[in-house]
Amino acid sequence: MEQLIENKLIKADLAFSSWKKVSFEERQGLIRKAAEILKNNSEKFGTIITTEMNKPISQSIAEVEKCALMMNYYADAENILKPEKIDSEFTYSEVHYAPKGVILGVMPWNFPFWQVLRFAVPAILAGNTVVLKHASICFGSGNAIEQVLLEAGFPEGVFQNLEVGHKEVKGILEHDIVKGVSLTGSGKAGGEVASIAGLNIKKSLLELGGSDAFIIFEDADLDKASKEGVKSRLQNCGQTCTAAKRFIIDEKIEDEFLPKFIVEYKKYIPADPMNKETLIGGMARPDLADDLENQFKKALENGAEIIIPLERISDTEFNPGLIRVQEGNPILQEELFGPLGMIMTFKNDDEALQIANDIPFGLSNSVWTNNKDRKLFFIENLDSGTVNINRMTSSDPRFPFGGTKASGYGTELSLHALKEFVTAKTIVGD
């Protein structure tokens, strides 16, 4: 391992030895200061995001502002890590929550500030220190986050950005100093990192891909569903794990809903990402656009029908596409990470549920209906970490976020996230 990386890990470990003794309230104060820096400089940091991965600047600024909102949530959060008294016959009868130490974050390019801070803030608030392996195109974002935390007053070593490639992850995770890992990314990357963590008996948290269903019933608000559905599919150029990817429509309203949906869909025309009016830019890299184009061709070869063609207009830009897909098409077992949506139809509630659950993923789903019994049916039976009722999926600091099946395990956001990288330490006896 390069000496620079070794030195940074040692620095993180030394910082942990003192950071774990800092009070919860003092840590919160520093988080609040960092949130203020982000909020006051959202356009500056948003420009870094857009420059690195082509996200429309308005969406990049919104990402930074959401980070500040999340950090203020934790700055005001209840301290659920205080020693917990347990009724028993013993003099000492408590549970203490001890931070684990240095935690590695392996983070993606699609939300280069949000994904990092969503993991790092609760981990740091719990008393851990963090080293970040960011996506190679987002080193600027990683360095900017480190500088924000230093400017806010966090001690050196509490958060460090490592400018390393994928090949270095194994050595870093195997290092004795590193006690756990959080990864947001593909299933392949998640499996590899979880294997390394498992072999070394280290905690891992995985937030992986999704192929979220957006289920529309005849009693839904179709105008709202069409607008929200398109936004969910095409914001960030469709490069969102929780994007609606499969639009499952009640066959009784297909003729009414689909034209509304297509009108909204065609409003997303690739344009200059630095223009605040732009709704959709290019994908983050040309190879990712190649992958999407190949998936589109694969879907067609297996019987998918074109509703709106996916048209590539540059190395990274597409006019967004929409296809009709039948059950059994192998493309349904993959994640479409780009501006391509799928349309399916159903006859009844049971068929809609079967279609929605018949994938490897289990991240989030959205159900559009005004029927109370139907809402409860899908809440209880959808295989996903989140079920949204009459709204598109969007993570919220107040609510736990995570998936099931091939979408990963563990919890980000909410107070639950504070306990992901701590050890419940039992104190019992006389």
Side-chain angles (χ1 to χ4, degrees):
M1 186 181 297
E2 290 184 14
Q3 192 60 45
L4 178 62
I5 299 173
E6 178 79 18
N7 290 343
K8 288 199 171 188
L9 294 180
I10 292 170
K11 187 176 183 179
D13 197 34
L14 287 172
F16 171 66
S17 66
S18 55
W19 181 247
K20 66 182 179 181
K21 298 173 185 175
V22 174
S23 73
F24 190 87
E25 291 72 25
E26 189 175 341
R27 295 175 199 150
Q28 286 183 306
L30 295 175
I31 290 170
R32 186 175 289 107
K33 288 179 183 177
E36 185 177 1
I37 293 168
L38 284 175
K39 186 174 181 181
N40 291 341
N41 296 275
S42 60
E43 191 148 350
K44 169 188 166 184
F45 296 124
T47 300
I48 294 174
I49 293 171
T50 297
T51 300
E52 289 185 324
M53 51 77 61
N54 292 327
K55 182 179 296 184
I57 187 67
S58 59
Q59 295 176 28
S60 297
I61 292 169
E63 177 181 338
V64 176
E65 291 174 345
K66 185 173 181 177
C67 289
L69 177 72
M70 176 270 296
M71 293 170 79
N72 280 321
Y73 165 80
Y74 283 109
D76 295 330
E78 174 191 358
N79 182 3
I80 63 167
L81 302 180
K82 290 184 295 188
E84 182 181 336
K85 303 287 186 181
I86 305 294
D87 288 335
S88 77
E89 70 276 22
F90 298 104
T91 303
Y92 294 97
S93 186
E94 298 179 348
V95 177
H96 292 195
Y97 294 98
K100 290 187 177 293
V102 180
I103 308 300
L104 170 65
V106 182
M107 295 292 137
W109 44 262
N110 60 332
F111 289 89
F113 271 62
W114 172 251
Q115 303 283 15
V116 172
L117 289 165
R118 183 176 75 180
F119 141 69
V121 169
I124 288 170
L125 180 55
N128 301 288
T129 58
V130 165
V131 290
L132 169 67
K133 185 272 175 254
H134 214 325
S136 58
I137 63 173
C138 293
F139 288 161
S141 291
N143 288 328
I145 292 168
E146 181 175 349
Q147 290 306 309
V148 166
L149 297 184
L150 289 171
E151 184 181 339
F154 282 87
E156 289 193 9
V158 169
F159 179 97
Q160 295 176 89
N161 182 46
L162 308 179
E163 293 193 10
V164 298
H166 290 297
K167 292 180 180 178
E168 283 78 23
V169 170
K170 182 175 186 292
I172 295 169
L173 185 49
E174 288 176 337
H175 199 289
D176 288 343
I177 282 177
V178 174
K179 305 304 182 187
V181 61
S182 178
L183 176 141
T184 297
S186 68
K188 181 176 182 292
E192 291 172 354
V193 166
S195 296
I196 299 166
L199 286 171
N200 290 274
I201 320 299
K202 297 181 180 183
K203 172 70 181 288
S204 60
L205 186 158
L206 304 179
E207 196 272 277
L208 308 177
S211 187
D212 293 8
F214 195 97
I215 309 168
I216 308 106
F217 287 90
E218 61 177 331
D219 61 341
D221 180 335
L222 300 188
D223 290 329
K224 184 180 179 183
S226 62
K227 289 182 173 65
E228 291 288 293
V230 171
K231 180 180 178 182
S232 180
R233 172 63 282 199
L234 296 180
Q235 69 174 352
N236 200 21
C237 201
Q239 300 167 124
T240 307
C241 56
T242 57
K245 299 183 173 88
R246 298 173 299 138
F247 295 88
I248 303 170
I249 307 168
D250 189 331
E251 64 177 19
K252 293 188 288 295
I253 56 160
E254 181 185 7
D255 290 344
E256 182 181 359
F257 176 77
L258 201 52
K260 296 176 184 288
F261 189 75
I262 290 171
V263 167
E264 294 299 323
Y265 214 84
K266 289 185 175 180
K267 292 178 182 178
Y268 284 71
I269 301 169
D272 178 7
M274 287 297 182
N275 184 330
K276 289 186 177 180
E277 301 302 315
T278 294
L279 294 176
I280 188 169
M283 295 183 67
R285 300 192 311 259
D287 64 301
L288 299 169
D290 293 342
D291 291 342
L292 184 71
E293 200 166 38
N294 289 334
Q295 287 180 299
F296 176 60
K297 292 173 183 175
K298 177 181 178 180
L300 297 182
E301 289 167 1
N302 285 278
E305 302 171 10
I306 296 174
I307 299 174
I308 303 173
L310 180 73
E311 297 176 329
R312 192 166 183 174
I313 58 177
S314 75
D315 281 351
T316 60
E317 294 172 304
F318 289 98
N319 286 321
L322 191 63
I323 54 177
R324 186 185 304 277
V325 179
Q326 302 296 328
E327 286 188 80
N329 193 314
I331 203 65
L332 290 167
Q333 304 305 306
E334 301 178 11
E335 180 178 25
L336 296 178
F337 215 65
L340 177 62
M342 295 179 283
I343 297 290
M344 305 179 76
T345 59
F346 64 86
K347 293 181 174 62
N348 53 53
D349 291 18
D350 288 332
E351 186 180 15
L353 179 69
Q354 185 272 324
I355 293 171
N357 283 341
D358 189 23
I359 57 167
F361 306 102
L363 196 53
S364 181
N365 290 296
S366 181
V367 180
W368 291 73
T369 180
N370 288 309
N371 183 293
K372 183 178 179 181
D373 291 337
R374 180 179 285 142
K375 291 175 186 177
L376 292 174
F377 173 74
F378 282 92
I379 288 168
E380 292 171 357
N381 292 290
L382 281 168
D383 296 335
S384 57
T386 300
V387 177
N388 297 275
I389 307 297
N390 295 323
R391 68 185 294 273
M392 61 177 273
T393 297
S394 60
S395 51
D396 184 312
R398 298 169 296 177
F399 303 117
F401 180 81
T404 186
K405 301 195 289 187
S407 290
Y409 51 76
T411 300
E412 295 187 306
L413 300 178
S414 79
L415 296 182
H416 292 272
L418 291 172
K419 292 185 177 179
E420 279 295 333
F421 290 105
V422 298
T423 298
K425 185 177 179 180
T426 297
I427 315 296
V428 62
D430 294 319

